[in-house]
């Protein structure tokens, strides 16, 4: 068993609960040594519920702790850059919630700094490491639908102000449906089909003001500062072509489809915001959709598996799948739709992405140790 990598968590908001659970109870390569939040009560609650050894008064106290190897950045999207930058400058490896930065330029600066310091940088989403997308990857690689020729995915809802306790940041810089939910879809797409060469997009904001109907901010008005309806076409390096729509402007009562098209069949991909299935494949000789069994572990909510993969890489030198090469490529895609829309032209990608190797199977749940070569 590998010596656990010691982690400090910055930000104890709503997403932190599943990370706290999985770091302390599931992934054995990780050890949480401390937490920090601008609202002290949140850090105190995390310490009490998960028996965390330390509470850091400020993030800088965490960065100065010689025990800390990796900083887990769970702050709001527009705060990701400043927190990750300070952590890297302090000599810590960084794993950040999505997106890597609020814009492409922030991502460039973080990548340059990580390279300069010789530090690992990467982050969420890690749902593609779950049983669902990993099984899809294996099926595609094994020719289950022939050669991939295209994809179409849709994230459709009417925003978060009717249910989220603090929805305003979803409509500010670094927010919007593409920056919020797009990372799951784009990350899944490039893991299944490879890197993206160009992006063509049209972006709109159909509701410039939002009325919050959820507590505790019920009745407050949000001024929307980002696109809330984005439609795009993706040209992959392989020649495949994809379509993506993400929106906070449309009323819809179910999970929209995510499909991959091949020369010999079509695959229905599971919701990339989750870790499990179902997966269905249609081939003309079958004449109907057939559900495929999941052949990998981690069907349940396994957020933190990307962080565990980072820990394996730190200890064994194995590939770090959720590294900046992936998150930076995804960030450029996410921010290119608006650029394409403004210029009325296709956006040519600067970054290049090579597919990460599939996750390796390990007989012990919560262990990703690649030194076993299983």
């Amino acid at each position: 068993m590998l010596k656990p990598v010691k982690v400090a968590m910055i930000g104890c908001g709503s997403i932190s609960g599943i990370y706290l659970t999985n770091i302390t109870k599931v992934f054995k390569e990780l050890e949480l040594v401390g937490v920090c939040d601008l609202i002290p009560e949140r850090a105190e609650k995390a310490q009490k519920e998960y028996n965390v050894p330390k509470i850091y008064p400020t993030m800088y106290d965490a960065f100065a702790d010689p025990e800390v190897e990796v900083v887990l950045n769970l702050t709001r999207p527009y705060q990701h850059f400043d927190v990750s930058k300070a952590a890297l400058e302090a000599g810590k490896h960084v794993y950040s919630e999505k997106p890597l930065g609020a814009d492409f330029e922030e991502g460039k600066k973080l990548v340059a700094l990580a390279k300069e310091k010789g530090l690992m940088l990467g982050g969420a989403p890690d749902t593609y490491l779950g049983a669902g997308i990993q099984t899809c990857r294996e099926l595609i690689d094994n020719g289950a639908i022939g050669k991939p020729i295209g994809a179409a995915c849709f994230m459709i809802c009417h925003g978060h102000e009717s249910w989220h306790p603090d929805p305003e940041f979803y409509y500010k810089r670094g927010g919007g449906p593409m920056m919020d939910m797009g990372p799951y879809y784009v990350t899944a797409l490039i893991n299944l089909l490879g890197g993206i060469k160009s992006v063509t997009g049209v972006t709109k904001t159909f509701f410039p003001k939002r009325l919050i109907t959820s507590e505790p901010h019920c009745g407050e008005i949000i001024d929307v500062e980002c696109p809330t309806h984005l439609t795009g076409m993706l040209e992959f390096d392989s020649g495949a072509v994809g379509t993506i729509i993400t929106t906070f402007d449309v009323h819809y009562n179910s999970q929209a489809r995510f499909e991959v098209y091949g020369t010999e069949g079509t695959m229905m991909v599971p919701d990339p915001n989750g870790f499990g299935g179902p997966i269905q494949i249609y081939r003309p000789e079958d004449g109907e959709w057939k559900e495929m069994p999941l052949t990998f572990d981690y069907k349940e909510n396994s957020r933190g598996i990307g962080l565990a993969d980072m820990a394996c890489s730190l200890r064994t030198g194995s590939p770090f799948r959720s590294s900046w090469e992936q998150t930076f490529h995804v960030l450029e895609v996410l921010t290119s739709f608006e650029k394409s829309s403004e210029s009325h032209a296709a956006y040519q990608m600067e970054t290049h992405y090579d597919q990460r190797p599939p996750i390796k199977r390990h007989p012990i749940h919560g262990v990703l140790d690649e030194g076993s070569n299983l």
Side-chain angles (χ1 to χ4, degrees), residues 119-240:
L119 295 167
M120 296 182 74
L121 169 68
D126 56 7
T127 49
Y128 74 97
L129 293 172
I133 302 300
Q134 287 295 302
T135 300
C136 289
R137 168 71 181 273
E138 186 172 67
L139 288 166
I140 290 172
D141 287 353
N142 290 341
I145 58 171
K147 180 181 178 181
I149 60 175
C153 51
F154 309 88
M155 194 297 297
I156 304 175
C157 74
H158 206 268
H160 299 351
E161 63 271 21
S162 65
W163 61 270
H164 198 281
D166 190 18
E168 185 175 17
F169 74 91
Y170 287 103
Y171 300 98
K172 300 300 181 181
R173 180 175 177 269
M178 188 59 75
M179 297 295 281
D180 175 43
M181 295 300 293
Y184 298 107
Y185 291 82
V186 175
T187 301
L189 281 169
I190 64 174
N191 272 275
L192 298 177
L193 300 177
I196 292 169
K197 181 165 63 175
S198 69
V199 176
T200 304
V202 177
T203 67
K204 300 286 185 178
T205 303
F206 289 107
F207 299 89
K209 292 184 181 293
R210 298 274 179 156
L211 172 66
I212 301 177
T213 58
S214 59
E215 295 296 345
H217 298 285
C218 185
E220 296 179 16
I221 300 292
I222 301 171
D223 291 317
V224 178
E225 298 174 0
C226 58
T228 50
H229 187 92
L230 301 92
T231 299
M233 293 188 67
L234 309 168
E235 182 183 6
F236 292 84
D237 292 327
S238 66

Side-chain angles (χ1 to χ4, degrees), residues 109 216 329 353:
K109 292 175 183 176
H329 189 70
Y353 174 81

Side-chain angles (χ1 to χ4, degrees), residues 28 100 205 334:
K28 297 170 176 60
L100 178 63
T205 303
L334 301 178

Side-chain angles (χ1 to χ4, degrees), residues 313-366:
S313 183
L314 277 170
R315 292 289 187 257
T316 71
S318 62
F320 174 31
R321 295 169 179 82
S322 298
S323 67
W324 65 260
E325 287 91 347
Q326 175 167 289
T327 59
F328 189 36
H329 189 70
V330 169
L331 177 62
E332 185 177 15
V333 174
L334 301 178
T335 55
S336 65
F337 295 97
E338 191 170 5
K339 293 174 184 176
S340 171
S341 184
E342 290 172 351
S343 67
H344 302 286
Y347 173 92
Q348 303 301 317
M349 294 283 291
E350 293 180 27
T351 61
H352 176 77
Y353 174 81
D354 292 316
Q355 282 179 298
R356 309 289 91 165
I359 197 168
K360 291 190 176 182
R361 295 174 174 89
H362 197 285
I364 302 173
H365 184 73

